[in-house]
């Protein structure tokens, strides 16, 4: 028995203890590797969220730019008391209503004067009120669109939380007022829902006043931080000790005896923070049971320990190493179509599946963002009422067609149209009737002349006919267009057809034509020749030689 006891002691001292220590070392090593994977996951989650919000802000800047460049907005701000002021306000209201109706994230769009009084709004009932934004820090009012902290709106018992996107409206360098988009938090909630972090992870988007914009995970949302202020003391120490020269980084801290990892990203200019956090102890908790199992196997048979060590290296260490390499590739290439290998139903397999779902979601989201950007580009080139090209897009198109015309030696024609007595339509049939006339003319241009047409502004239109080598064909097209317009449309209850008469100016390009702007100018002069005569006709001229 004594020898047996000695053998057992020698076995424990010489084999079991070293093997146990080796098992502990292996567990520690692989836990560190798993922690690296989680750190990369948190970093990628925060980075993707940051990119999505920056893209969202860019879209709002595009919306804002469209509004502040509109002349009616400046007239509404500067022309009170003038004859056209009420019309400018009404049209500005329509412009703002279009912005709000075409974007599910915009609750309302408002134009304020320098006293923060509502001049125009997508909700006309608010006109004349003083905006709550008057009490905001002046740093949020700049020529660039800025996102404010969370603002409580409504009355007591019926409050809602919004974020305002604010931009100064300038005219010739002078401040005229402010454009305000009141944004609901739906976009940020949807963005947080799309972030798949570990089952106990949480994503926070926090404003400059440390108020939550949204928080939670894909399963549920939160209205407060997971930890109380007192429980987060170690977090605050880690936050104060961070590298303040960098706008992002990892924070390691403890709370209630458990270890947390958070990755933060700070926005430049709007002092928001995206914070993705995970309780690493809970993620690693299931792995601690392996230690007892390894020790038990060591006590029973050293050979099995060696087999387990081999299995762990093959099915845990190597997959994690491959995951880390793929994370590096994803981080370097921004290619979210890459997927982790399927290693089965073990923990690494579960993590791989969760990461693959996250990558698939991000890939779909980014593709959706690309599509949205493409749609925005189309909207930026088109008149919102008629669907024709706007003035700026048409000028670029005409210049390209002119260059192509010079290369091929084939002249083009530029047509400029102005609806005769358009104000009578608005007076007799209201602005809705006027809009129907504009749509009627736009459809006639598409069917009779072609899609290379634009609305220059108001009731003025322009068309490019690329191949104008046969003047008789061009004149025939104009005659067909005039006949189509004279047939008219029904605007009143009696169902009578009301003719739409236009003054039309046409100019053919030649080798002396230099720019699209000159071509439009000549066509405009030709149109005014008709206007000064009897209206309701067309005039064809050639460009003047320089």
């Amino acid at each position: 028995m004594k020898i047996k006891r000695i053998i057992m002691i020698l076995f424990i001292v010489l084999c079991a203890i070293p093997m146990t220590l080796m098992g502990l070392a292996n567990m520690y090593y692989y836990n560190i590797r798993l922690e690296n994977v989680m750190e990369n996951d948190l970093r990628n989650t925060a980075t993707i969220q940051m990119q999505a919000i920056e893209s969202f802000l860019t879209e709002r800047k595009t919306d804002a730019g469209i509004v502040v460049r509109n002349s009616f907005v400046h007239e509404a701000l500067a022309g009170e008391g003038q004859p056209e002021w009420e019309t400018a306000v009404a049209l500005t209201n329509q412009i703002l209503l279009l912005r709000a109706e075409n974007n599910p994230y915009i609750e309302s769009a408002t134009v304020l004067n320098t006293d923060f009084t509502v001049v125009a709004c997508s909700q006309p009932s608010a006109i004349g009120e003083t905006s709550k934004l008057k009490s905001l820090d002046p740093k949020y009012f700049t020529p660039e669109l800025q996102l404010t902290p969370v603002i409580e709106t409504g009355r007591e018992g019926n409050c809602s939380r919004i974020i305002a996107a604010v931009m100064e409206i300038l005219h010739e360098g002078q401040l005229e007022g402010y454009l305000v988009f009141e944004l609901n938090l739906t976009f940020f909630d949807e963005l947080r829902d799309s972030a798949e972090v570990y089952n106990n992870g949480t994503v926070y988007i926090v404003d400059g006043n440390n108020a939550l914009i949204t928080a939670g995970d894909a399963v549920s949302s939160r209205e407060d931080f997971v930890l109380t202020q007192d429980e987060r003391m170690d977090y605050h120490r880690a936050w104060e000790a961070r590298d303040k020269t960098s706008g992002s980084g990892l924070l390691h801290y403890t709370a209630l005896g458990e270890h947390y990892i958070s990755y933060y990203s700070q926005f430049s200019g709007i002092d928001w923070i995206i914070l993705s956090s995970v309780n690493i102890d809970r993620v690693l908790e299931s792995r601690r049971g392996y230690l007892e199992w390894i020790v038990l196997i060591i006590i029973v048979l050293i050979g099995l320990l060696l087999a387990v060590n081999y299995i762990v290296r093959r099915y845990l260490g190597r997959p994690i190493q491959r995951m880390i390499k793929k994370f590096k590739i994803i981080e370097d290439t921004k290619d979210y179509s890459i997927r982790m290998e399927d290693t089965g139903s073990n923990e690494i397999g579960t993590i791989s599946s969760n990461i693959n779902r996250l990558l698939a979601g991000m890939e779909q989201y980014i593709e959706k963002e690309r599509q949205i950007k493409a749609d925005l580009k189309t909207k930026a080139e088109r008149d919102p009422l008629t669907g024709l090209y706007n003035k700026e897009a048409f000028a670029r198109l005409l210049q390209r067609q002119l260059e192509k015309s010079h290369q091929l030696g084939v002249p083009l024609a530029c047509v400029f149209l102005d609806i005769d007595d358009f104000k009578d339509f608005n007076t007799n049939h209201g602005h809705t009737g006027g809009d129907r006339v504009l749509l009627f003319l736009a459809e006639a241009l598409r069917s009779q002349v072609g899609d290379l047409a634009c609305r220059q502004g108001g009731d003025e239109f322009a068309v490019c006919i690329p191949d104008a080598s046969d003047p008789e064909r061009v004149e025939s097209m104009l005659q067909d267009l005039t006949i189509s317009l004279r047939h008219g449309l029904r605007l009143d209850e009696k169902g009578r057809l009301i003719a739409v008469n236009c003054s039309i100016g046409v100019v053919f390009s030649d080798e002396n034509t230099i720019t699209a702007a000159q071509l439009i100018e000549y066509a405009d002069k030709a149109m005014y020749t008709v206007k000064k005569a009897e209206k309701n006709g067309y005039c064809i001229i050639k460009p003047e030689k320089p």
Side-chain angles (χ1 to χ4, degrees):
M1 294 297 295
K2 195 172 184 179
I3 295 174
K4 183 179 179 181
R5 202 174 284 122
I6 293 172
I7 291 174
M8 290 178 63
I9 293 171
L10 288 174
F11 174 79
I12 292 172
V13 172
L14 299 179
C15 296
I17 292 177
M19 289 298 176
T20 301
L21 292 174
M22 184 178 70
L24 286 170
N26 275 336
M27 288 301 299
Y28 175 77
Y29 173 75
Y30 292 126
N31 285 349
I32 292 295
R33 286 302 183 92
L34 191 58
E35 185 173 329
N36 289 338
V37 171
M38 286 188 287
E39 288 177 354
N40 278 297
D41 180 54
L42 294 175
R43 181 183 292 107
N44 283 321
T45 297
T47 301
I48 292 168
Q49 300 259 313
M50 173 81 74
Q51 292 171 348
I53 292 177
E54 289 175 346
S55 176
F56 176 79
L57 182 57
T58 299
E59 294 167 12
R60 300 294 75 74
K61 287 179 179 178
T62 301
D63 287 340
I66 292 171
V67 174
V68 300
R69 287 194 299 269
N70 195 291
S71 60
F72 294 123
V73 176
H74 296 288
E75 291 176 14
L77 284 168
E80 186 171 4
Q82 299 298 320
E84 301 296 328
W85 178 73
E86 290 186 1
T87 301
V89 170
L91 291 174
T92 301
N93 287 340
Q94 289 297 316
I95 292 168
L96 298 175
L97 182 60
L98 258 169
R99 293 295 102 199
E101 287 182 342
N102 290 339
N103 194 301
Y105 306 121
I106 298 179
E107 288 290 316
S108 68
T110 306
V111 171
L112 309 175
N113 63 19
T114 54
D115 293 329
F116 292 90
T117 301
V118 178
V119 173
C121 185
S122 59
Q123 300 173 354
S125 60
I127 293 176
E129 296 180 358
T130 299
S131 172
K132 283 188 174 183
L133 299 183
K134 187 173 184 178
S135 59
L136 271 183
D137 191 320
K139 71 179 182 180
Y140 294 107
F141 301 100
T142 69
E144 288 292 324
L145 193 71
Q146 296 288 336
L147 294 181
T148 70
V150 174
I151 300 172
E152 298 284 346
T153 64
R155 298 180 179 175
E156 186 175 353
N158 189 27
C159 290
S160 60
R161 301 165 70 245
I162 59 100
I163 290 169
V166 184
M167 182 180 187
E168 290 183 346
I169 300 175
L170 303 175
H171 182 65
E172 295 181 353
Q174 297 297 316
L175 177 64
E176 286 190 329
Y178 307 96
L179 173 65
V180 180
F181 291 147
E182 290 190 358
L183 309 176
N184 57 47
L185 303 185
T186 305
F187 170 80
F188 304 99
D189 291 336
E190 291 174 352
L191 184 61
R192 184 257 306 153
D193 285 342
S194 68
E196 293 191 13
V197 292
Y198 292 96
N199 58 1
N200 70 324
T202 307
V203 174
Y204 303 92
I205 302 179
V206 185
D207 69 15
N209 294 331
N210 205 34
L212 287 181
I213 297 168
T214 187
D217 55 22
V219 178
S220 62
S221 62
R222 296 185 58 84
E223 295 184 358
D224 205 346
F225 291 95
V226 173
L227 303 172
T228 66
Q229 187 72 12
D230 291 338
E231 292 169 348
R232 298 169 66 221
M233 293 303 296
D234 194 43
Y235 163 80
H236 291 301
R237 282 192 288 269
W239 176 256
E240 289 302 321
R242 76 190 189 282
D243 180 6
K244 294 181 175 60
T245 62
S246 174
S248 61
L250 285 164
L251 301 176
H252 292 259
Y253 56 95
T254 57
L256 301 177
E258 295 185 324
H259 178 206
Y260 287 81
I261 300 178
S262 293
Y263 186 85
Y264 67 90
S265 291
Q266 294 177 284
F267 288 85
S268 59
I270 60 173
D271 57 23
W272 284 15
I273 298 173
I274 290 181
L275 193 69
S276 50
S277 301
V278 67
N279 185 324
I280 189 170
D281 286 344
R282 293 185 185 178
V283 174
L284 298 176
E285 189 173 346
S286 61
R287 301 199 40 76
R288 291 179 184 140
Y290 285 139
L291 180 60
E292 295 179 3
W293 182 75
I294 291 174
V295 173
L296 180 62
I297 294 299
I298 291 172
I299 294 172
V300 175
L301 193 59
I302 297 176
L304 287 179
L305 175 62
L306 296 174
V308 168
N309 185 62
Y310 170 77
I311 291 171
V312 169
R313 284 184 177 277
R314 178 173 179 178
Y315 295 103
L316 186 62
R318 293 175 186 172
I320 290 177
Q321 186 64 39
R322 288 194 291 269
M323 288 169 67
I324 292 174
K325 289 181 179 179
K326 287 198 174 182
F327 269 124
K328 180 63 176 173
I329 294 172
I330 292 171
E331 186 176 6
D332 292 341
T333 63
K334 309 299 182 188
D335 181 3
Y336 297 103
S337 64
I338 297 173
R339 296 292 182 268
M340 301 297 152
E341 295 179 9
D342 184 5
T343 59
S345 59
N346 56 26
E347 286 78 3
I348 300 300
T350 301
I351 292 173
S352 296
S353 298
N354 287 334
I355 292 172
N356 285 338
R357 283 198 295 273
L358 170 65
L359 291 170
M362 290 304 101
E363 184 181 15
Q364 292 174 2
Y365 181 82
I366 290 170
E367 182 58 35
K368 182 179 177 182
E369 285 296 302
R370 289 192 186 122
Q371 186 60 48
I372 290 173
K373 288 180 180 178
D375 293 343
L376 284 174
K377 182 180 178 183
T378 300
K379 290 179 181 178
E381 293 182 344
R382 296 284 179 170
D383 174 59
L385 176 63
T386 62
L388 300 178
Y389 288 103
N390 58 31
K391 183 177 181 179
E392 293 78 9
F394 181 76
R396 295 192 295 270
L397 180 147
L398 183 60
Q399 185 62 41
R400 289 196 298 270
Q401 291 293 335
L402 189 58
E403 292 169 359
K404 184 177 179 182
S405 170
H406 290 162
Q407 291 174 358
L408 298 176
V410 177
L412 62 78
C414 179
V415 183
F416 200 95
L417 303 92
D418 184 274
I419 300 175
D420 294 334
D421 304 316
F422 180 68
K423 288 184 179 179
D424 292 346
F425 291 105
N426 284 330
T427 302
N428 298 329
H429 304 283
H431 288 290
T432 302
D435 288 348
R436 289 181 59 193
V437 170
L438 295 174
L439 289 168
F440 172 70
L441 176 54
E443 186 57 36
L445 290 175
R446 289 191 189 95
S447 61
Q448 301 294 336
V449 185
D451 190 46
L452 301 182
C454 87
R455 182 184 177 191
Q456 287 286 104
D459 59 336
E460 295 181 341
F461 293 75
V463 183
C464 173
I465 303 176
D467 182 2
S469 55
D470 183 359
E472 292 182 358
R473 184 180 71 86
V474 174
E475 190 165 357
S476 175
M477 292 170 67
L478 295 175
Q479 290 172 352
D480 291 343
L481 174 64
T482 303
I483 293 170
S484 175
L485 295 175
R486 285 175 182 169
H487 285 165
L489 75 162
R490 291 180 174 86
L491 290 177
D492 56 20
E493 296 178 354
K494 296 180 180 179
R496 294 176 300 180
L497 288 171
I498 300 175
V500 177
N501 297 323
C502 291
S503 297
I504 305 172
V506 186
V507 61
F508 290 89
S509 69
D510 59 19
E511 66 277 3
N512 297 315
T513 306
I514 300 174
T515 66
Q518 290 177 325
L519 205 61
I520 293 174
E521 181 182 352
Y522 296 141
D524 188 33
K525 288 181 180 178
M527 182 273 293
Y528 271 107
T529 301
V530 180
K531 279 282 186 189
K532 292 175 182 177
E534 298 179 356
K535 301 183 180 179
N536 189 24
Y538 60 86
C539 173
I540 300 175
I541 66 171
K542 288 188 176 181
E544 300 173 6
K545 294 185 179 181

